[in-house]
Amino acid sequence: MRIAYTNQDTDMSFYKRRYTEGTMITSWGDTLPLRYTEVRANITGMLADIKVIQKFENNLNKNIEAVYVFPLPCDSAVNALEIKIGERIIKGVIKEREEARRNYEEARDEGKKAGLLEQERENIFTMSVANIEHGQEILVTLTYYETVKYEDGEYEFVFPMTITPKYIDKDQVKDSDRISPPVEKRLAGREVNLFINLDARFPLGEVKSPTHLLYIEEKGENIRHIQFAKEGELPNKDFILKYSSSGEQLETSITCYRKEFKPGTFMLHVTPKMDYGPDEMVKREIVFVMDRSGSMGGQPMDQAKKALKACLRTLRSGDTFSVIVFDDRIEYLDSRSIEFNDTNLLKADRYIESTRARGGTDILLAMEAALKLPANKLYVRQIVFLTDGAVGNEEFVLHEIKKSLGKSRVFTFGIGPSVNRLLLDGMAEMGRGTARYITFEENIEEAIQKFSNQTSFPILTDILLEWKDASVADMYPVKIPDLYFGHVLYTVGRFHSSGKATAILKAMTGGGEFRQEIEIDLPDESTEYPLIETIWARKRIDALLKKMGEKPKEKHEIRDEIIGIAMRYSLMSPYTSLVAVEEGDDDEEQKEKKEIMRVDVPSMVPEGLNRDAFRSRLNLQYAPYDPAVAKYQRTSPPVRSAGRPMSAIINIKRDDSSGPVLMRRAIMSEECPSPGPSAFQKDPFPAPSAGKEVFTGGAIYSRAPRPFTDPAFSTLPPADKMDEAENEKGIVWEESGPLSFECEEDFDESPVSPETQVCEMKSGEKITPEMIDLTFKYLVRNQNADGSWSKEVLEEKKVISTSMALLAFIKEGHTGKAGNYIPHVSRAIYFIQSHIDNLSGMALALSTMVFIEIFKLSDKKKERKDAEKAIAILKDNLYKFKNPTEKTFASLAVKSAVTSGLMSEEELPETDKWLSEGKDSAKMISTIEKMDDIISLFLCVISGDEGLINFSVDLLINHYVRGGPQEGSINIFELNPVDTTAQGIFVLCQNRNLYENRNA
């Protein structure tokens, strides 16, 4: 999404990087910077080897112990720790947790350099570094392995950077102090940088990040070197990298590791070869549960509202739905599920919009409320959670949910810059659903489309993987979860045989049993991917931890087995830690003991979150390990707002002197109350904010931006000097939306909101795939509950607009079983099916064309039956077609039926005559004043007259809206934009199709 390409050589040296001035403020005013964090990832195929380097520096006049609580991916296999002090390197070793802690504390008390890495949760770790001397720099490096996620044709790598402060129930969370680092009050200068060597092992297509601006170097068709394009990135949001193949999508992939004469380890990915989608629509009751707690304040709340509204628009006719909002209390849209229709949709929209963030995060209470809603046994219940998952009692929540879930399926939507993937993945896995995550910069509509494709139906259930001619054991996950649209089967395991083998995939589908055989060659020896063995060991530990929860009586035996595996593979676990201790001779004179002070590294509030929501955390104090130095307890310093927005597509050389354009200024009042209550208090109270100037970036940029000439900005320093200036002037930056370098129009220099800026189309401009997709998204946002795209009252007119929109969707490859808009297209098809028996004239002809085109793409029995039924009705009603326009569409339907083999031309000999008369009736119109004029433009497009075609297309394109809430619509004065867009995009797609055919 945000990519800068370059052919220049990139400096990948960690030690030559520029460092930013200090960060951590102690209660007596001295500073201790955690100066820098660097992430180095090598991604090869589906495997990732990651090193995280943390640079600590002590500017205090006494030795310190630095304690840093930080996140890692919840499925990371952490297996190495190293501390570097000058030229000395101290290697970490794996030990049982209690022994590792004891070794570390003894070394610390003896004045030795030591480091300890402990696992608090599967996704939260604590790094302790002891005896950092005054003026000393220490580099701490940890290593972990993981697999790259693959879904719906896209690969994803995620590196979490900060922890959203959690809602803690101390009765359920006994170690709350270990997972709740203090929150930084002031944005410090500490920065993070990232370098990725990506070797996909296939030709790469698009490489993008929805979260950060990237600087990418192409090193061949399979390889990219990637780093942040902006120096000084703050670790206040998760980093996400997405990439795809320029060729075929993943079908079957197996990777093996095996030493000679030893058992081997494999990692298998399989994409089932089958036709997606059920023949019959399942009736669903969908319960939407939206988190309104204090941690959702700010951008997450806005994003959750947009996502929930978009989710509602993916429902089908016949579905019922509920909306529950929760913090530490529960509120309902209605006491029971209500029918999905336009009236209830409007009611839900208003209810959602009125929701405000407040209070704590009681997810278990919300789940209980969802399950207690009165159920209809004829409907499948799906529970959709929209939350950041900011709780500390994940294990308790998952255990309690499992006990009461029953047959309900659970889908989770992670909202925000730093979400609790451990909890949300666990809820989805337990509920036989899927988890999806939305960042602030990501296109919500695209994410919702993929999500709705999955909630429509699981494609495979009750999955088994059997083996023929192979000895395979210890496969994980133990129970393969249901597969949904776009998902692949993923498993790791051990094998003891070699040679040709067959993996047999068995499952159930909506249509019955499914079976697929996959031929595999198991090697005698293969040592290229040793990471697989470590990843398998981590999966085995995960499976044993789940077993421990299910069988508490076997806890001690399972614990011993986990420790044995972790020790063998040098893996972090709840019972093992990595410890690195400075070695010295036994007879060496004991070091002079110095006073040691513990300093906890504060966590950054994730970008876009309401900082006031966490003010009860801002003064959290941690007790030092030694009561004698309790007086040195620290309090966290104040914070400032998130850094400047960097959302842009850069196709030009980076220029550090570039300044912001079209900025707007707003003054925050001294008396202005806090926008939201504390995340950890049940009753909101106002808190005045400091009066500062807030400069909002994110306006529209042109390719040759002209500086904004408001004299109030005349003294702003260049962008690369803004950090220093902000501290002096009290200026903070807030992100209001993405910047764009894509529009080539000249804009007026007056400050205009980008939401209402419309870029008019030029005469002669061609319709592009991007423009068509924007139109589809507009139609999706404005689809009626019954599936139609029309505001007309008469049913036949609604069918005309809906059929024309459907034909445009189908031409671009979007059907009820394929493409990006499956639920919306399915609803529209169902709408037409329910009216086909009562249609006549143009509505009947267009509906018939829809069913014929669907059959041509699928060639399935059901689609053939629908098309044949429509053709039969059309033939029975042909005598009613009177005017040239109706006859033209009827002849087009017949032509389509003939080419698809559903009928012969002899059955309707007058088809060519009708089509010729329709083309001859085409005439030029200068303006569009009524819906019939758009039909006239279609006749011009198929007439073959270049002058008529170009004039008609230009006339429509002149009404195409670029920018603002109506973006993608074809907006004509005094006509309903939904109907004009539905019919207009059909005309434009038809012209594009004819244009491409002529060129071909």
Side-chain angles (χ1 to χ4, degrees):
M1 177 176 170
R2 318 291 193 231
I3 305 178
Y5 284 98
T6 178
N7 292 319
Q8 299 174 349
D9 290 333
T10 306
D11 179 12
M12 302 289 280
S13 171
F14 166 64
Y15 300 101
K16 295 181 181 180
R17 299 293 301 175
R18 177 179 66 81
Y19 302 124
T20 310
E21 273 306 310
T23 66
M24 295 168 52
I25 309 289
T26 63
S27 58
W28 55 90
D30 292 318
T31 60
L32 172 72
L34 169 60
R35 288 293 185 95
Y36 189 77
T37 299
E38 178 168 298
V39 182
R40 288 181 171 273
N42 290 299
I43 301 175
T44 305
M46 303 291 288
L47 300 170
D49 177 354
I50 302 98
K51 293 186 183 300
V52 181
I53 307 168
Q54 298 161 350
K55 179 182 177 182
F56 294 90
E57 180 177 307
N58 183 5
N59 290 333
L60 303 178
N61 58 6
K62 52 179 66 66
N63 285 12
I64 61 100
E65 176 191 30
V67 180
Y68 180 32
V69 181
F70 62 97
L72 287 177
C74 56
D75 57 352
S76 57
V78 184
N79 71 332
L81 172 67
E82 179 182 287
I83 297 176
K84 184 172 183 180
I85 311 156
E87 296 302 317
R88 285 183 297 160
I89 294 178
I90 307 171
K91 296 280 189 180
V93 294
I94 195 76
K95 294 188 177 183
E96 290 192 39
R97 185 165 184 149
E98 294 78 9
E99 182 185 359
R101 164 58 66 175
R102 188 166 57 250
N103 291 167
Y104 169 79
E105 290 178 347
E106 288 173 356
R108 179 195 64 197
D109 295 345
E110 292 172 3
K112 293 181 179 180
K113 303 291 186 298
L116 176 67
L117 182 62
E118 297 172 291
Q119 179 177 315
E120 313 300 347
R121 297 286 188 275
E122 292 169 68
N123 61 339
I124 298 180
F125 295 77
T126 298
M127 175 72 74
S128 302
V129 184
N131 288 301
I132 306 176
E133 299 173 11
H134 170 68
Q136 193 172 57
E137 291 183 354
I138 291 183
L139 295 180
V140 178
T141 303
L142 63 93
T143 303
Y144 71 89
Y145 305 145
E146 68 171 343
T147 55
V148 175
K149 303 294 184 296
Y150 177 85
E151 181 179 322
D152 202 17
E154 199 165 55
Y155 299 80
E156 181 181 78
F157 169 77
V158 178
F159 181 76
M161 294 196 189
T162 191
I163 300 171
T164 299
K166 299 176 181 293
Y167 174 73
I168 301 293
D169 183 336
K170 292 193 175 182
D171 293 334
Q172 300 169 5
V173 186
K174 304 303 181 184
D175 61 346
S176 60
D177 59 321
R178 298 193 62 84
I179 61 171
S180 306
V183 176
E184 218 164 23
K185 282 186 179 178
R186 178 179 67 84
L187 267 193
R190 64 181 162 115
E191 63 183 67
V192 63
N193 217 323
L194 174 142
F195 302 101
I196 298 176
N197 292 322
L198 171 61
D199 182 359
R201 300 296 172 95
F202 54 75
L204 281 161
E206 185 179 19
V207 180
K208 63 184 179 181
S209 171
T211 57
H212 293 77
L213 183 69
L214 298 181
Y215 186 78
I216 297 176
E217 190 175 8
E218 197 169 326
K219 292 288 187 178
E221 65 176 7
N222 299 348
I223 299 174
R224 301 290 185 273
H225 289 176
I226 302 165
Q227 68 181 82
F228 288 148
K230 175 190 173 187
E231 288 191 348
E233 288 281 6
L234 298 174
N236 62 354
K237 59 181 174 180
D238 295 350
F239 167 75
I240 300 174
L241 175 73
K242 296 185 177 185
Y243 56 96
S244 59
S245 169
S246 63
E248 296 181 356
Q249 295 188 0
L250 175 68
E251 288 192 359
T252 299
S253 167
I254 185 166
T255 310
C256 299
Y257 172 76
R258 187 178 195 175
K259 291 182 179 179
E260 193 174 11
F261 308 121
K262 298 285 185 180
T265 309
F266 70 87
M267 179 176 71
L268 176 66
H269 292 82
V270 178
T271 301
K273 294 182 177 180
M274 61 177 297
D275 181 38
Y276 294 151
D279 288 336
E280 300 297 332
M281 290 295 182
V282 178
K283 290 185 177 181
R284 302 175 301 169
E285 176 205 12
I286 302 187
V287 182
F288 295 101
V289 186
M290 184 173 71
D291 185 350
R292 63 172 301 168
S293 62
S295 64
M296 293 286 289
Q299 284 183 264
M301 191 78 256
D302 295 338
Q303 196 83 335
K305 290 179 182 180
K306 292 177 183 177
L308 179 47
K309 288 179 181 179
C311 281
L312 287 170
R313 281 154 179 79
T314 67
L315 301 184
R316 303 188 294 253
S317 180
D319 287 343
T320 63
F321 73 96
S322 302
V323 177
I324 297 174
V325 297
F326 76 96
D327 43 273
D328 42 39
R329 289 168 285 179
I330 300 294
E331 292 181 4
Y332 300 84
L333 169 66
D334 204 287
S335 59
R336 61 180 62 244
S337 293
I338 57 180
E339 181 185 354
F340 175 63
N341 57 40
D342 290 326
T343 302
N344 287 335
L345 187 60
L346 180 60
K347 176 182 175 181
D349 281 347
R350 290 171 176 169
Y351 178 72
I352 294 164
E353 198 55 44
S354 68
T355 303
R356 298 292 180 267
R358 70 179 190 199
T361 313
D362 197 333
I363 287 181
L364 190 56
L365 181 67
M367 177 61 81
E368 290 172 351
L371 293 172
K372 286 180 181 177
L373 281 172
N376 186 329
K377 294 182 180 180
L378 299 177
Y379 286 68
V380 173
R381 173 169 282 182
Q382 297 178 340
I383 301 173
V384 180
F385 262 84
L386 298 96
T387 177
D388 58 7
V391 298
N393 60 338
E394 298 96 337
E395 185 177 350
F396 179 78
V397 168
L398 292 173
H399 179 72
E400 292 300 309
I401 288 175
K402 185 174 183 180
K403 290 195 302 186
S404 56
L405 192 58
K407 295 183 178 181
S408 298
R409 290 183 179 266
V410 177
F411 299 82
T412 56
F413 246 121
I415 307 287
S418 180
V419 299
N420 189 347
R421 291 177 181 244
L422 172 64
L423 175 65
L424 300 186
D425 285 350
M427 290 173 64
E429 180 183 348
M430 190 168 293
R432 298 173 300 149
T434 64
R436 186 168 288 277
Y437 300 91
I438 301 181
T439 64
F440 295 150
E441 298 87 353
E442 197 167 1
N443 186 304
I444 287 182
E445 289 166 334
E446 290 181 2
I448 298 297
Q449 296 313 320
K450 293 180 179 179
F451 176 75
S452 64
N453 291 347
Q454 293 170 355
T455 56
S456 295
F457 44 82
I459 60 172
L460 290 181
T461 62
D462 303 324
I463 301 172
L464 294 174
L465 190 63
E466 299 177 351
W467 294 84
K468 181 181 178 183
D469 300 326
S471 175
V472 174
D474 298 325
M475 289 197 303
Y476 303 102
V478 175
K479 180 175 175 55
I480 299 174
D482 295 348
L483 288 186
Y484 287 80
F485 181 88
H487 280 193
V488 299
L489 181 149
Y490 164 71
T491 185
V492 292
R494 303 281 274 176
F495 63 94
H496 302 269
S497 58
S498 61
K500 300 289 184 182
T502 304
I504 304 170
L505 176 61
K506 294 181 178 180
M508 295 300 296
T509 71
E513 294 183 357
F514 172 82
R515 177 188 173 98
Q516 180 179 342
E517 295 188 359
I518 305 110
E519 299 299 323
I520 289 171
D521 193 358
L522 298 174
D524 290 314
E525 182 180 11
S526 179
T527 57
E528 185 178 358
Y529 301 105
L531 282 67
I532 295 174
E533 198 167 47
T534 306
I535 290 171
W536 169 85
R538 168 61 199 268
K539 297 295 184 185
R540 179 161 176 77
I541 289 174
D542 290 345
L544 289 169
L545 288 169
K546 290 178 183 177
K547 183 179 178 182
M548 183 183 290
E550 296 167 357
K551 299 181 178 181
K553 291 183 179 180
E554 301 178 19
K555 179 176 180 179
H556 296 293
E557 292 84 352
I558 296 173
R559 179 183 183 276
D560 291 342
E561 187 175 356
I562 290 172
I563 292 172
I565 296 169
M567 297 291 283
R568 180 179 177 184
Y569 293 97
S570 187
L571 275 173
M572 294 284 296
S573 76
Y575 309 114
T576 53
S577 301
L578 283 163
V579 60
V581 175
E582 182 180 24
E583 296 294 335
D585 296 333
D586 294 338
D587 58 351
E588 183 182 2
E589 184 178 343
Q590 188 173 10
K591 292 187 178 182
E592 178 185 355
K593 288 190 177 182
K594 297 182 181 180
E595 183 182 53
I596 306 172
M597 183 196 68
R598 166 173 165 158
V599 182
D600 292 85
V601 178
S603 177
M604 284 191 174
V605 174
E607 180 186 72
L609 268 63
N610 175 17
R611 294 176 180 277
D612 289 333
F614 307 109
R615 57 178 169 270
S616 60
R617 287 283 184 84
L618 297 180
N619 293 316
L620 259 180
Q621 297 186 351
Y622 276 38
Y625 66 86
D626 188 344
V629 294
K631 61 182 180 179
Y632 296 119
Q633 281 184 316
R634 60 174 296 279
T635 56
S636 301
V639 294
R640 67 180 170 104
S641 177
R644 296 183 299 280
M646 287 296 294
S647 297
I649 298 175
I650 295 184
N651 292 312
I652 55 177
K653 185 176 179 180
R654 287 185 293 175
D655 183 358
D656 292 337
S657 65
S658 298
V661 179
L662 290 180
M663 300 166 60
R664 276 121 15 237
R665 178 176 59 187
I667 304 297
M668 293 176 64
S669 168
E670 294 281 355
E671 293 79 30
C672 178
S674 162
S678 169
F680 310 103
Q681 294 174 351
K682 296 185 179 180
D683 296 315
F685 61 91
S689 57
K692 292 185 178 181
E693 291 184 332
V694 181
F695 297 105
T696 304
I700 298 176
Y701 279 41
S702 67
R703 289 192 184 275
R706 294 175 290 181
F708 182 54
T709 55
D710 188 332
F713 290 85
S714 60
T715 58
L716 280 180
D720 60 334
K721 301 296 183 184
M722 189 61 75
D723 284 334
E724 292 83 347
E726 287 173 354
N727 292 332
E728 296 174 7
K729 296 192 174 192
I731 297 174
V732 295
W733 289 73
E734 291 185 352
E735 182 171 338
S736 68
L739 312 181
S740 172
F741 288 91
E742 296 181 283
C743 187
E744 297 184 352
E745 295 295 313
D746 290 326
F747 290 94
D748 184 81
E749 291 183 341
S750 58
V752 179
S753 168
E755 287 73 28
T756 58
Q757 179 75 52
V758 177
C759 177
E760 292 185 0
M761 305 292 292
K762 296 177 181 178
S763 179
E765 186 169 350
K766 300 298 181 185
I767 188 79
T768 66
E770 292 75 21
M771 291 165 62
I772 292 173
D773 204 50
L774 286 173
T775 299
F776 289 162
K777 288 172 182 174
Y778 170 83
L779 289 171
V780 163
R781 290 195 301 270
N782 290 277
Q783 188 175 27
N784 297 324
D786 62 6
S788 65
W789 280 298
S790 177
K791 299 302 179 184
E792 295 282 358
V793 176
L794 296 177
E795 291 299 320
E796 288 214 345
K797 289 190 175 182
K798 292 175 73 172
V799 169
I800 289 172
S801 292
T802 304
S803 296
M804 294 176 82
L806 266 176
L807 288 167
F809 275 98
I810 293 167
K811 281 184 181 296
E812 298 301 315
H814 305 293
T815 70
K817 292 186 178 181
N820 298 332
Y821 305 98
I822 291 174
H824 304 90
V825 173
S826 297
R827 280 164 52 193
I829 293 171
Y830 183 78
F831 170 77
I832 295 174
Q833 282 177 326
S834 63
H835 290 84
I836 189 76
D837 292 323
N838 301 313
L839 298 178
S840 62
M842 190 161 63
L844 176 58
L846 283 164
S847 298
T848 304
M849 290 171 65
V850 167
F851 292 117
I852 294 171
E853 293 302 317
I854 293 173
F855 166 70
K856 286 163 72 173
L857 287 177
S858 69
D859 198 26
K860 300 292 181 180
K861 289 183 179 179
K862 182 180 183 302
E863 284 73 16
R864 183 185 185 94
K865 183 178 178 182
D866 291 338
E868 287 175 342
K869 176 183 176 181
I871 291 170
I873 296 173
L874 178 68
K875 288 194 290 187
D876 290 342
N877 286 272
L878 277 177
Y879 70 92
K880 297 180 181 178
F881 287 72
K882 301 299 183 184
N883 64 58
T885 302
E886 290 181 347
K887 290 181 178 180
T888 300
F889 281 96
S891 63
L892 289 172
V894 171
K895 288 282 187 184
S896 182
V898 170
T899 58
S900 61
L902 294 172
M903 63 181 297
S904 63
E905 289 189 29
E906 289 75 18
E907 294 181 66
L908 295 171
E910 294 187 324
T911 298
D912 289 334
K913 177 185 174 184
W914 284 4
L915 185 57
S916 177
E917 289 175 351
K919 290 179 179 180
D920 292 341
S921 69
K923 59 182 179 180
M924 186 178 296
I925 58 173
S926 58
T927 59
I928 303 173
E929 297 177 348
K930 55 186 183 298
M931 295 304 302
D932 287 346
D933 291 338
I934 299 179
I935 304 299
S936 298
L937 294 179
F938 173 76
L939 296 177
C940 292
V941 165
I942 65 171
S943 68
D945 186 312
E946 289 292 335
L948 282 178
I949 294 172
N950 293 335
F951 185 86
S952 300
V953 171
D954 286 349
L955 186 58
L956 266 179
I957 286 183
N958 285 340
H959 292 279
Y960 186 96
V961 178
R962 298 289 294 266
Q966 299 294 314
E967 184 174 38
S969 67
I970 297 172
N971 211 319
I972 299 169
F973 182 64
E974 291 190 341
L975 296 180
N976 187 279
V978 176
D979 287 275
T980 56
T981 303
Q983 297 191 21
I985 194 61
F986 166 72
V987 176
L988 292 175
C989 283
Q990 180 70 24
N991 173 68
R992 181 166 170 262
N993 187 51
L994 292 172
Y995 177 79
E996 290 175 350
N997 289 340
R998 285 198 302 270
N999 286 346

